[in-house]
Amino acid sequence: MILTAVLASAVLSAAPAPAAESYPSWEDIRAAQSSASAKAAEADRVEGFLTELREEAGSLGDAAVSATNRYNAAVEELAANEQLLISLATQREAAAGHASDLMRQVAALAAQTYKTGGAAADSAALMLLDADGSVDALHGADLMDRVSSRAGNLYADALASEKVAAGFSEQEQQARDARAKLVAEAERYVEEADSSAAAAAAAIREEETRKSVLLAQLAELRDSTVEAEEARIRGIAAEKAFRDQEAAAERSAQESPRPGAGQAAGGEASPETAPPPVTSPSIPAPVKPAPVAPAPVAPAPVAPAPVAPSPAPVAPAPAPPAPVAPVNDPAGAQNYAAGRMASFGWDGNEFRCLVNLWNRESNWRTNAANPYSGAYGIPQSLPGSKMATHGADWQTNYRTQINWGLDYIKYRYGSPCAAWAHSEEVNWY
């Protein structure tokens, strides 16, 4: 069962950005020009706002990814529940049908014995019950013993099959009850995912609105240009993100065996962490009682006993619609990555290593999310918000993800083939 988890209110709504009056005005910037110390202090304050905006948007983006993962897990569990219901219904119907057939045979045998008043039964009728029996074997003094024993065994078999059908019916009802809870969970998770996505989008808009002015102010204070300041800040943040990524990947690998993230990210659990497959019990072979002595008078015809009623069929309730997700374009992503290789001085052989590496990590899907480690995106940034150093659209834009991933490979390993060799050795990079 999916563990119930409700996002904290701070996650569902964008944390308030600094009040408008707390941001420096151009008057503040001009006033800070009075001394070198005031100028440096104001520049540090402006840069701090830029960092806060980026980190806030990234944190809310991570929360949106986590909420979407919970929704996806609920949908997968719903699908498994549907398959279990189908299996249980099939087995219940088979057991109920088997019980009904046996009860009809008991009724026919009892009726034949009753009609003959306990005398020798018609061998043709008995042959219908046991096609493999010999006609000669059914004649003789012990004929009624055979008839009564056969009726008793058939009746015991029928009762056993009825119990099996009732058991499947009970399991089916339990699965239906679980399914209702799963649908409710999925509905809650999709609301959380939408709320988290809206909060992240609002934070990104806030960052974009404020960033241009803050960068211009910072450039003024440092006698630089907007482009140079943006590149400098991004470089510092990216280097820190690369160091953190390296430490996070190694820590994740030590805490638990890490499967190829491309497997886990696609919704397929790794062999080490996947839950055991749900199986339904098979119909057990009925246990036959010891033969009973025949009654002096054959019983009256026995009507088939009612089989436990099955739950009323319920139309499958569709899962709530998934939150808006980025469009995956593995071919387009690979083409873009191939076009960037020359800028790093890497050749076609390095590109083949990159394809192998990110096939394993994410299958080149923009929204690939590893539910075990929290890694996200084509290069499996851990967490995904580390890619915010290369663009606020890291959740949806494969170009931003690839740019970050290539820079990380260059910083950490020097080349895609070196990263691939490391991944081949320890199954992570």
Side-chain angles (χ1 to χ4, degrees):
M1 176 63 63
I2 299 175
L3 296 177
T4 302
V6 179
L7 292 176
S9 59
V11 170
L12 294 180
S13 60
E21 59 270 19
S22 68
Y23 285 103
S25 65
W26 282 104
E27 288 76 11
D28 295 330
I29 301 302
R30 284 190 287 271
Q33 305 282 356
S34 60
S35 69
S37 60
K39 195 173 179 180
E42 189 69 5
D44 289 342
R45 190 164 78 99
V46 171
E47 188 167 335
F49 282 133
L50 286 166
T51 300
E52 287 177 9
L53 286 168
R54 186 189 68 251
E55 291 180 349
E56 179 64 25
S59 177
L60 290 170
D62 286 333
V65 169
S66 296
T68 300
N69 286 345
R70 282 190 288 275
Y71 167 80
N72 290 336
V75 170
E76 289 177 5
E77 195 161 351
L78 265 174
N81 177 270
E82 292 290 349
Q83 292 302 312
L84 177 60
L85 277 171
I86 292 173
S87 174
L88 289 172
T90 300
Q91 294 179 84
R92 170 182 50 77
E93 292 170 0
H98 184 58
S100 296
D101 289 343
L102 291 176
M103 281 299 187
R104 280 193 292 271
Q105 293 186 46
V106 171
L109 182 54
Q112 180 64 29
T113 304
Y114 181 78
K115 289 177 182 178
T116 59
D122 178 51
S123 60
L126 297 178
M127 286 296 292
L128 293 176
L129 301 176
D130 190 353
D132 295 329
S134 169
V135 175
D136 293 336
L138 294 175
H139 289 288
D142 63 343
L143 178 60
M144 288 310 300
D145 287 347
R146 292 172 182 271
V147 170
S148 297
S149 175
R150 177 64 170 162
N153 291 342
L154 288 172
Y155 187 67
D157 290 354
L159 291 180
S161 292
E162 286 176 2
K163 289 181 179 179
V164 171
F168 283 128
S169 179
E170 182 178 352
Q171 292 180 57
E172 193 176 351
Q173 186 58 55
Q174 291 173 353
R176 289 173 186 272
D177 294 341
R179 180 175 172 281
K181 294 179 180 179
L182 287 173
V183 169
E185 283 184 346
E187 289 173 348
R188 184 170 70 255
Y189 289 149
V190 77
E191 291 176 0
E192 291 177 356
D194 285 341
S195 297
S196 294
I204 290 172
R205 288 193 297 271
E206 173 74 7
E207 180 186 8
E208 292 299 321
T209 299
R210 300 290 181 184
K211 187 171 70 172
S212 59
V213 175
L214 290 170
L215 281 172
Q217 292 173 336
L218 187 60
E220 178 75 16
L221 289 167
R222 289 190 169 145
D223 299 320
S224 180
T225 65
V226 169
E227 294 76 17
E229 287 305 307
E230 184 172 20
R232 182 185 62 80
I233 292 174
R234 193 192 73 167
I236 294 172
E239 185 172 355
K240 180 181 182 300
F242 294 156
R243 290 196 303 270
D244 292 345
Q245 170 75 12
E246 180 181 357
E250 188 168 359
R251 184 169 57 250
S252 177
Q254 291 173 351
E255 290 174 354
S256 62
R258 181 176 181 269
Q263 299 168 4
E268 300 174 6
S270 66
E272 295 89 347
T273 55
V278 179
T279 57
S280 301
S282 58
I283 300 176
V287 178
K288 295 185 178 182
V292 295
V297 179
V302 180
V307 179
S310 60
V314 178
V324 177
V327 176
N328 293 306
D329 183 8
Q334 288 190 22
N335 287 335
Y336 177 75
R340 293 233 42 219
M341 300 300 284
S343 65
F344 289 87
W346 296 332
D347 58 15
N349 185 56
E350 291 292 341
F351 179 66
R352 283 190 291 273
C353 290
L354 182 69
V355 170
N356 290 337
L357 179 66
W358 286 348
N359 274 344
R360 170 179 287 170
E361 291 296 318
S362 62
N363 287 324
W364 291 80
R365 288 176 300 107
T366 307
N367 66 343
N370 189 316
Y372 309 106
S373 67
Y376 181 81
I378 292 172
Q380 288 291 280
S381 170
L382 181 60
S385 59
K386 285 186 171 60
M387 296 184 289
T389 59
H390 283 57
D393 57 355
W394 58 268
Q395 283 184 261
T396 58
N397 192 334
Y398 63 73
R399 292 176 178 83
T400 298
Q401 295 183 0
I402 288 171
N403 291 340
W404 181 90
L406 293 178
D407 282 345
Y408 171 68
I409 288 173
K410 180 70 174 179
Y411 168 86
R412 174 69 175 83
Y413 298 99
S415 71
C417 285
W420 172 242
H422 185 274
S423 179
E424 281 282 82
E425 181 180 356
V426 298
N427 204 30
W428 61 273
Y429 86 111

